[in-house]
Amino acid sequence: MSASTSGVVDGEPRETNVVTAIRDALHDEMAADDRVILLGEDVANRGGVFRISAGWMDEFGPERVIDTPLAEAGIVGVAIGMALRGLLPVAEIQFADFIHPAFDQIVSEAARMRYRSNGAFGCPMVIRAPCGGGIHGALYHSQSIEAFYAHVPGLKVVMPSTPADAAGLLRSALRDPDPVLFLEHKKTYRAVKGPVPDGPFLVPLGSADVKRAGTDLTCISYGYALHTCVEAASRLFDDEGVSVEVVDVRSLAPLDTDTMFTSVRSTSRVMVVYEDNRTYGAGAEIASTIAETLMFDLDAPIVRIGGPDIPAMPFAAPLEHFFMEPEPDQVYRRMRDLAAF
Amino acid sequence: MSASTSGVVDGEPRETNVVTAIRDALHDEMAADDRVILLGEDVANRGGVFRISAGWMDEFGPERVIDTPLAEAGIVGVAIGMALRGLLPVAEIQFADFIHPAFDQIVSEAARMRYRSNGAFGCPMVIRAPCGGGIHGALYHSQSIEAFYAHVPGLKVVMPSTPADAAGLLRSALRDPDPVLFLEHKKTYRAVKGPVPDGPFLVPLGSADVKRAGTDLTCISYGYALHTCVEAASRLFDDEGVSVEVVDVRSLAPLDTDTMFTSVRSTSRVMVVYEDNRTYGAGAEIASTIAETLMFDLDAPIVRIGGPDIPAMPFAAPLEHFFMEPEPDQVYRRMRDLAAF
Amino acid sequence: MSAGVATTAHGALGLSTEDLLAMYRTVVTARLLDEAALRQNRMGRAPFVVPAEGHEACQVGTAWAMRRGIDVWLPYYRDGALVLAAGMTPYEVFLGIFAKADDPSSGGRQMPAHWGHKELQIISGSSPIATQVPHAAGIAYAIKYRHEDAVVGCWFGEGATSEGDWHEGLNFAGIHRLPVIFVCENNRYAISVPQSMQMAIEDVADRAQGYGFPGVVVDGNDVLACYSAMKQAHERARAGEGPTLIECKTYRFLGHTSDDDDKTYRPRDEVERARHHDPVHVFGEYLRVHDIVDDATAEELRAEVKAEIDHALATAWEAADPLPESALRHVFYESDEGP
Amino acid sequence: MSAGVATTAHGALGLSTEDLLAMYRTVVTARLLDEAALRQNRMGRAPFVVPAEGHEACQVGTAWAMRRGIDVWLPYYRDGALVLAAGMTPYEVFLGIFAKADDPSSGGRQMPAHWGHKELQIISGSSPIATQVPHAAGIAYAIKYRHEDAVVGCWFGEGATSEGDWHEGLNFAGIHRLPVIFVCENNRYAISVPQSMQMAIEDVADRAQGYGFPGVVVDGNDVLACYSAMKQAHERARAGEGPTLIECKTYRFLGHTSDDDDKTYRPRDEVERARHHDPVHVFGEYLRVHDIVDDATAEELRAEVKAEIDHALATAWEAADPLPESALRHVFYESDEGP
Ligand SMILES: Cc1ncc(C[n+]2csc(CCOP(=O)(O)OP(=O)(O)O)c2C)c(N)n1
Ligand SMILES: Cc1ncc(C[n+]2csc(CCOP(=O)(O)OP(=O)(O)O)c2C)c(N)n1
Ligand SMILES: [Mg+2]
Ligand SMILES: [Mg+2]
């Protein structure tokens, strides 16, 4: 239900949305520690295309809030250098779809620095990237990229679904000695509201969270799709009394299999729901690890719902709508069928 | 055991190794069609670091065998342009580990050109990349990269394990109207020999192949690991009479689930073996799709064997050896246990 | 004042009065189309539009040296005026803006202004900046390889010049002396990032010498200067002398896109000052001074264009939407696509 | 001929006889170490080595203007002589060649010549070419941000200059006028690809002007010329005047690595001609002309160095291999690593 399940919480909660929670947490971190540097396209002069850093160039100075050239490999590569010299860079990629030019710097450099130097050097840095669709962003402002990066040893990948998780995970990411890819689903930015504890509370990396308790089946999801699942679960409970436990993965890498396995053992039915292209998506790993470990605990085949295998979301409303499975209705139907299996 | 299972074969077979089969097939294609262009680092003057194109600059001319600058995004991007203007470029990436700078050109451009133009433009091109470990290549000359690319709609990804498959798949890739990532496991180059039909036979993209027939369990693999599995299977048959069917995936995308499902239905036990880092590796998709579809056909939990989740293979012999699981012994033991389950 | 053809700027460039009128009509069409599209955006009928306002001269000027049906175009999203010069109709542009099934760029799949047109040889472009630059080099390579008489034009903003792909594309084109022209529309901002935070130099054109071919700077608000530079580059390309980098100094009058509020990062008086050099007005003045248009004919042309745009808009609005399930098509080649 | 300090090339640069002897010793050590390593390779005891032969002067010359313990080094695999000048010992180099547990670069995880040394501030490098260039800019940014008195040196071959990362790194450094020096060891080949197929220009240094800072060309076989250029760049960097690109024209005498057969792509007489400018001999001649060494002292130094190398080699060979299971360590931070 909230980050309190596994986070260290202090202060009075405040109701806010995801983008504000991210802004506030990052602001506090920057105010508290001048090693924290924000760099990216349009983050300074304009305060970010999502206005997360509006006013910060004046507040923290242009040395700490840096408008970079249009060059993602350079942004990540420069951030790696900063991290190697004692700073704590937050590299903002304007849209996750544009992170691809930095693939080599992230995979070959940031994620391998510690391993290849046998522990001598490390890259404490956060790469923030707004991802996901449903906001009329078309093919190149809608992509899900988590599957590419969750596969990379040496890199941590998280995607919060609530304001509290966003704030708590961002703080943990900034305190982590290794590189963290922090994915922000754009559709949660303003649409998802919730309480955020007031203090500098943390949500540990590598921890999943039960967002809705239930007994009949386990639904595992993350990002915006998580809310689709919670909504479907609550309708299904109201309609037919089916009790669905919804687990929020939160951390794609490392994956908290304990929390998932515990839930699946108790319900014996499981579905995995994600927005990304279905085939070779992150849900494959989740389904697969459950199949290996809990096969004989299951009363029904694992259900996996992912986006269609087309290159991201088209622009035209009818086409975008077609992609934005998992829609609540589809998830609802498959939940009901799975419970009845 | 050979491509004949699903390939169109003519001519007398000839015994050769994988690297020679690739060289011969590519040579014949270049000789037959002057739209075929080879470009990459060191492919002309030196004939490639694996000597695949030795002598071709003289034979086909420097316009058709092009030494490029050291710039992988440029190599792929230029190849896309060539493909858009009626050529059939074969872009050679010197080592798969160095394909990462081209990630954006492959994912955002080559793979999306057709979709984003609603079918108006296409990129018929082949990207060849020698991959895989066990050849003392250390962290950056040993990587498996198939999982990153198999997830990309619009891109086909194949990895042959035998000389005949290499030749037949390469020809199909060159005839395909869409971009194909052709992965060549370096350890198969000289170590794996086999018959290659003499004519221009094809192995269709998207077809798996039963490399060893069996009844007790299905072992699904590809690349060099496939040979580890065949070897373990044959030892296990000799030692204990256990009959293992070994399926060669060959085509990671699209995946030939029919061939795999048919085998699994007949054996009711399945293991998936791959060299790449285990977590979020290609084996996750294979295991997951079987779990969804054939759960009640299985008599034992799915077994998944992948490489450790460390950033590729270290250089020192003891460390490389440690990574090069799946070793025959490990696969052998897990096969025996699974058959006995 | 009327002048003999040979002594005027356009005469010296070999441009007739008809040429100038056709160019002017294109410039005016682009401007009015932008305005109409923005109105659609404010009315909630067009979720996203990309105005070209301010860039009309450099786009139409450079385009005019290209040969429709022969040369190849790789524009970027800002190139609304360019694609009109390349032969796209306002109707086709509105099909894109309204994301209709018949949108020639993408059938409504991409955001508007992600141009593509198979018949016109406008190569499909994407959002990631500068990715088209190596494509342009590859196409030019194929042209040279097949001894074809075609030239490739590749347009981008100054922001694109920071990307690795840009460097790699220009370098390859230089090595092989390819028939390609790189046109930088330098409006001094990449969204909000001023040129000074993008590069430590004044002229992008200076980078050309690192690739072994000429870089030239032109006034991007002067349509004839842009045409002239492009014409020379085009001749160079056809003569086998290789690429040229042309930098057009220009300015964007409106927000980056309809989603952008440029007041957050640009002083209003800077925008005002730039408007004094509005390329559409500058060109109109030139035509008046040379007695090619007067107030009446200019107004007539404007009215004609406006009617054409209104009609295009209305017709496009009525066109069919793509079918939902069509989203699954064209991931791979389909046999009905032709070669 | 002996000359007063002030009138010699080295005197003008402020280098004492002791400096020169130390530089010479480093150059000779690099050469003899290369030879010893290649012998180990042929004996089958070293699966992979990367000779620096031919590059000694530009590496040691540029290194000598850096301050050990203060400045930061980002070398590439060719920089075997450079890392000796930066403070690595032959023993440490051999630990890497034999992939031993105590190899300071990577504990035997990376191929030899993938340098790294935390205490010496040699930043761990990888195989993918040019990736260290933006790192160098980022480190220099942090130095400037914290008002530290340190300079970053970043070395690479001319092949690296074709990569997008190179462009992006230099551009960033130029914008922020960072204290970083980019050194290009131009040996005219990227493995087998000749410079003419890598770029359409003669001097890589020309690219610097596209980034707003100076590019200089020096004779890479002249250790003092390299030192001089680096010294000036170092002063510029410390004075807050920003980066410099130094291009050292040099040549690689042997194959690209022990895996390469350069006979497949380079004419033998080209290599022979280059050997006439062997930087180790050139430097030796300089020292003889200035009476700083004679045949006897040169031979003595050589013998001393050889003994040191033989000892280092023998000791490193006996050192412990990494434990197999240690392959699982250091994927992420471990609490025993310190900050
Ligand atoms: C690779 C990539 N990174 C970031 C973006 C987001 N973005 C879109 S346009 C733009 C600025 C482009 O500026 P410029 O090239 O100068 O063109 P202009 O819009 O000024 O005409 C940015 C940063 C993108 N589309 N692609
Ligand atoms: C990204 C990448 N692509 C390809 C390679 C393979 N490779 C290793 S060294 C090299 C040539 C480098 O040439 P240059 O930069 O001139 O340095 P030199 O070896 O001549 O000193 C190539 C192509 C690589 N290591 N990384
Ligand atoms: Mg701009
Ligand atoms: Mg070189």
Side-chain angles (χ1 to χ4, degrees), chain A residues 45-113:
Chain A
N45 212 11
R46 196 190 192 289
V49 296
F50 296 102
R51 316 284 298 149
I52 282 180
S53 49
W56 294 7
M57 184 171 74
D58 293 336
E59 182 177 353
F60 298 116
E63 315 79 35
R64 293 189 61 197
V65 183
I66 309 167
D67 270 338
T68 64
L70 211 170
E72 287 74 13
I75 293 171
V76 173
V78 162
I80 290 171
M82 291 172 168
L84 287 165
R85 187 78 186 181
L87 303 186
L88 296 174
V90 177
E92 179 174 305
I93 300 295
Q94 194 160 84
F95 287 90
D97 314 59
F98 305 138
I99 200 172
H100 300 330
F103 194 73
D104 190 47
Q105 281 289 346
I106 298 172
V107 173
S108 299
E109 300 300 317
R112 297 208 165 131
M113 184 64 75

Side-chain angles (χ1 to χ4, degrees), chain B residues 309-334:
Chain B
D309 288 324
I310 61 178
M313 235 161 282
F315 183 68
L319 303 177
E320 181 180 43
H321 190 80
F322 178 85
F323 189 110
M324 262 320 260
E325 314 210 310
E327 293 287 347
D329 287 347
Q330 198 211 352
V331 173
Y332 177 93
R333 279 194 309 276
R334 307 277 306 259

Side-chain angles (χ1 to χ4, degrees), chain B residues 128-176:
Chain B
R128 291 180 41 234
C131 68
I135 44 84
H136 321 308
L139 305 185
Y140 295 100
H141 297 77
S142 304
Q143 294 172 35
S144 300
I145 60 161
E146 64 274 12
F148 298 128
Y149 294 97
H151 180 53
V152 178
L155 189 66
K156 296 178 181 172
V157 182
V158 299
M159 195 188 314
S161 68
T162 65
D165 285 353
L169 285 169
L170 184 56
R171 286 205 194 83
S172 295
L174 273 160
R175 282 161 180 68
D176 199 85

Side-chain angles (χ1 to χ4, degrees), chain D residues 175-305:
Chain D
I175 293 166
H176 294 279
R177 296 173 78 89
L178 300 178
V180 52
I181 307 167
F182 299 106
V183 183
C184 178
E185 304 178 25
N186 183 353
N187 59 16
R188 296 167 44 205
Y189 287 90
I191 308 187
S192 70
V193 183
Q195 182 174 339
S196 62
M197 292 299 286
Q198 300 184 57
M199 62 190 85
I201 54 174
E202 187 51 40
D203 297 327
V204 165
D206 285 352
R207 292 194 169 158
Q209 94 166 57
Y211 307 112
F213 53 83
V216 297
V217 178
V218 290
D219 177 355
N221 297 327
D222 179 347
V223 69
L224 296 182
C226 295
Y227 172 76
S228 168
M230 191 74 172
K231 195 170 174 241
Q232 283 174 48
H234 197 273
E235 279 158 15
R236 254 182 71 78
R238 290 183 69 193
E241 289 163 24
T244 306
L245 171 61
I246 299 174
E247 177 183 11
C248 306
K249 303 282 194 185
T250 185
Y251 197 83
R252 144 168 78 72
F253 292 159
L254 302 175
H256 172 68
T257 66
S258 54
D259 283 352
D260 180 41
D261 175 10
D262 66 325
K263 288 196 237 25
T264 58
Y265 57 81
R266 289 198 304 197
R268 285 309 86 189
D269 59 332
E270 179 184 301
V271 182
E272 270 322 302
R273 270 200 312 280
R275 281 212 183 261
H276 293 153
H277 310 283
D278 183 330
V280 180
H281 295 172
V282 170
F283 194 17
E285 276 313 298
Y286 182 90
L287 297 181
R288 276 187 180 78
V289 167
H290 291 83
D291 282 341
I292 296 168
V293 298
D294 58 24
D295 287 356
T297 52
E299 194 36 58
E300 193 179 318
L301 181 141
R302 205 181 156 80
E304 247 177 68
V305 167

Side-chain angles (χ1 to χ4, degrees), chain C residues 293-316:
Chain C
V293 299
D294 57 24
D295 287 357
T297 52
E299 193 36 57
E300 196 179 316
L301 181 142
R302 205 183 158 79
E304 251 177 64
V305 167
K306 210 176 159 319
E308 189 195 345
I309 285 173
D310 288 346
H311 181 254
L313 189 161
T315 325

Side-chain angles (χ1 to χ4, degrees), chain C residues 158-159 187 189-190:
Chain C
E158 90 293 343
N187 61 14
Y189 287 89

Side-chain angles (χ1 to χ4, degrees), chain C residues 108-140:
Chain C
R109 291 172 168 209
Q110 292 214 70
M111 284 178 158
H114 285 57
W115 315 108
H117 200 299
K118 185 153 193 184
E119 291 69 40
L120 298 173
Q121 298 208 63
I122 301 173
I123 306 296
S124 166
S126 63
S127 303
I129 299 289
T131 49
Q132 82 276 27
V133 178
H135 304 174
I139 294 171

